[in-house]
Amino acid sequence: MSGVTIELDGRKVQVQPGLSILQAAANCGVDIPHLCTCDGLRTEGNCRSCLVEVQGERNLVPSCSRSVKPGMVVQVNSPRAVKNRALVLELMLSDLPEGGDYGELSAAAMQAGVTVRPALRQISPHPNPPPAGEGAIQQSHSAVAPSPAGGRQGWGLAHDASHPAMLVNLDACIQCTRCVRACREAQVNGVIGLAGRGADTRIVFDLADPMGASSCVACGECVQACPTGAISARPLATFAADAPPTAETTVDSVCPYCGVGCLLTYHVKANHIVRVDGRDGPANHGRLCVKGRYGFDYIHHPHRLTQPLIRRSDVPKDVNVSRNPDDWAQVFRPATWDEALAFAAGGLKNLRDTHGPKALAGFGSAKGSNEEAYLFQKLVRTGFGSNNVDHCTRLCHASSVAALLEGLGSGAVSNQINDVAHADFCLVIGSNTAGNHPVAATWIKNAVQRGLKLVVADPRGTDLDKHAWRTLRFKPDTDVALINAMLYTVFDEDLIAHDFIAHRVDNAQAVRAAVQPFSPEAMAPVCGMPAATIREVARAYANAKSAMIFWGMGVSQHTHGTDNVRALIALCMVCGQIGKPGSGLHPLRGQNNVQGASDAGLLPMMFPNYQRVSDAQAHAWFETFWGTSLDPEPGLTVVEIMHKALAPDADPHKVRGMFIQGENPAMSDPDLNHARQALASLQHLVVQDIFLTETAWLADVVLPATAWPEKTGTVSNTDRMIQMGRQAINPPGDARADLWIIQQMAQRMGLNWHYAGDHHGVAEVYEEMRQTMPAVLGGVSWQRLQEESSVTYPCPRADDPGQPTVFIDRFPTANGRAQLVPTTLTAEHEQPDPDFPLVLITGRLLEHWHTGSMTRRSHVLDALEPSAMASVNARELARLGLKAGDMARLRTRRGQIDVMLRCDEGTPDGAVFMPFAFVEAAANLLTNPLLDPVGKIPAFKYCAVALEAVVHTS
């Protein structure tokens, strides 16, 4: 499209059509003061701070809301425009308490030549300052409080300090409505609005509730949007008045929580992260969630490991993992790094040499970098001598990866999350997207605002339901029944994509035959959904010009999880909904580097880039590349390793020693009593972590590692974007970088590893890893990542921008065609019965993540959700004669826990929901370790449970 020529302050310029005058001027290097407009939000044009003069117009016009037109003559700095902008900004400032730091407003006023007077009466954004504490770092939050008395008319609005993350000072509000638009348009939460009329107009939360009592999810989008500090973030760290002054610096990085991979900027002062802002990354465009914005003070928690620890010889192992971290000296003694590394590696080496390589196993981490994952799996394969290496993908999406590799030849997503903007239809199944992937949910909600038909399918009600065209609240454990009933409809009503199937799909007829017993009418009583609704949704999916399917662990964490995904693949293929914008299949990754850790080979049956260890060609290549012989047999998975740890001594494959880096199986594995017994039975356990986790209490040696903001490395998000994380602060005490620790362990295991360069050779490690996946990362050098921060792969060439949509022409299978696999209905092994009449569903909370070792040590996150709970609906509470807030006992065949009850109408009849982040009520003590036979993933989402009142005896 050709440009538009306009005259700007006397010079002819060509600008892009459709831009506002403000945007066009900025592109030409002319900065116009502005306040109410904000990138990514609808333009209001209500503050008038950006007025300019346009030839032929009687009145000055707001440059933010006037589009450029050919031949337009604009004077930005005419005397009339300059004078009026200054007057507008001076009037705004005059309506606010003098001397406040009003951020963008103060900056705009000074730019316009307005004198911003020094403080006559400082208005603090924190009316009740934190109490003095020990040292320079203090944290506190207080309730709603009045403003300082007196002042001009209009002052004295309430200072709302009721929220643990944010402060509200409406004295500083100019009613630009950026916070309203950010809440309603960007995050689509609908919490902030305007109330009153005329001079009484004001910003409110819900029905004029205190912010802390409102439905706010603490995404902080309003804070980032507010130009005056009327809504501000509490600092993650504050400093005492006598603390030495230090400059604030910024470091660009990537969020270490879920798989969305939001880019962010740390604000650092005195080696502390004091604030986090969203950055304009391709996955988030400046958006963050509560964890990404406020969940970083865990790195400064006093429980951080700061020195190597060795178990005391007089303290035998037991399964008590709920000890107080302050009492570490009751179990461990401090050691030097040389002693700890010699003891750690020596114990593993002795077991390998005595009992053979199968006696050892390693758990890597999906919370660390690609480089750490790559080196860790290389250490296990070349140093331990077996393929007994795995990580938490086994507990999340192993069944998804297995089905995708089998059917499409690739375990990666076909389209990126924000490609939903190009979709007509979207199915979200088995995912609490708003709770587990909040920023991803915003893209879906934005698409709904533009007309997307959203279908949410889940036994539990979620926050995304209110945006859905249809909600399918099917019975737990009936995923295949629902999806196959949709497939039946597609075949029965001839909605299939005949040309697509003919050219790109195998086994469609086998699927057609397999779904014949699955008519919607037959499946309606099985899955609890009306047949007409199933048919309606199937038609809408098949007939959509483009349609996407997102799923989470509600699909994958079953013993039939692979079949669940196979059925989704079949539905997508027979409708031809892949290989084009706004279409395809997307399993939402739960941790920040689940995708990258799997890519890097942290799997027992796969070398890097999903090359099977049993494949002779791949096996020979890696033996040559690494210069050593390798085990040709697949290793054990996470749960299988625990079984082998408890195997009899006569078993030649008994696991006797383990190295666990950044994982917490004593909280994350199913049937925790069994898992903890297995860990305690090991002859030698080495744990590398940042806290004394539940797993670390069972260790023989604990190696203090680095948190994400303390290291440099790459991660790969759920969208196939490899992204750069940069070190922002130094680790505490004598904690060391994970990459350094892994290399030190390798050297003491007999490997001649010497990676040179900054950050312990991270760039050299990356470039070595890149050689193992040339078709994926061949065009993504370390230098390119440093310059661009984020590159989508596959990207085989340096001049390739990356491929956000894949499978456009063919699939990476042997014949280039999708290989469909028929499925049938297979119930979970353990069904409710009179002794255990309910179904237990586990999952995450918005505020907490994984096993809680990080988020429960974050002040804001723990304040928002401090206690373990089990959720049931009001009907179940009435049936049991209980009420919300009562303590109840949950029992399964594997264990029992006591927990407080919460009333949640999203939880279906006959079910209990529990998060698994709370050690004092660890849901995985109850869960079933039975595995999916293909994906080897446990049935976290379904087991039989009894719920009863706790009887207190005097």
Side-chain angles (χ1 to χ4, degrees), residues 55-131:
Q55 189 178 80
E57 304 228 9
R58 183 168 61 88
N59 297 321
L60 297 176
V61 302
S63 61
C64 66
S65 56
R66 181 64 62 90
S67 298
V68 294
K69 293 180 180 179
M72 178 180 275
V73 177
V74 179
Q75 294 185 65
V76 173
N77 291 309
S78 69
R80 181 184 176 202
V82 169
K83 182 178 179 180
N84 275 272
R85 286 199 300 267
L87 178 61
V88 167
L89 290 162
E90 187 172 13
L91 286 171
M92 284 188 194
L93 280 173
S94 71
D95 199 40
L96 305 181
E98 292 179 355
D101 179 6
Y102 299 118
E104 291 179 43
L105 172 57
S106 296
M110 287 188 285
Q111 179 187 352
V114 177
T115 301
V116 180
R117 284 173 288 181
L120 300 179
R121 179 169 59 86
Q122 183 66 44
I123 300 298
S124 169
H126 200 313
N128 298 320

Side-chain angles (χ1 to χ4, degrees), residues 19-23 32-34 36-37 43-54 57 59-68 72 74 85:
L19 293 181
S20 67
I21 296 172
L22 179 70
Q23 293 167 327
I32 305 173
H34 58 277
C36 70
T37 189
T43 298
E44 288 274 274
N46 63 6
C47 75
R48 291 307 197 260
S49 65
C50 66
L51 293 171
V52 296
E53 192 167 358
V54 174
E57 304 228 9
N59 297 321
L60 297 176
V61 302
S63 61
C64 66
S65 56
R66 181 64 62 90
S67 298
V68 294
M72 178 180 275
V74 179
R85 286 199 300 267

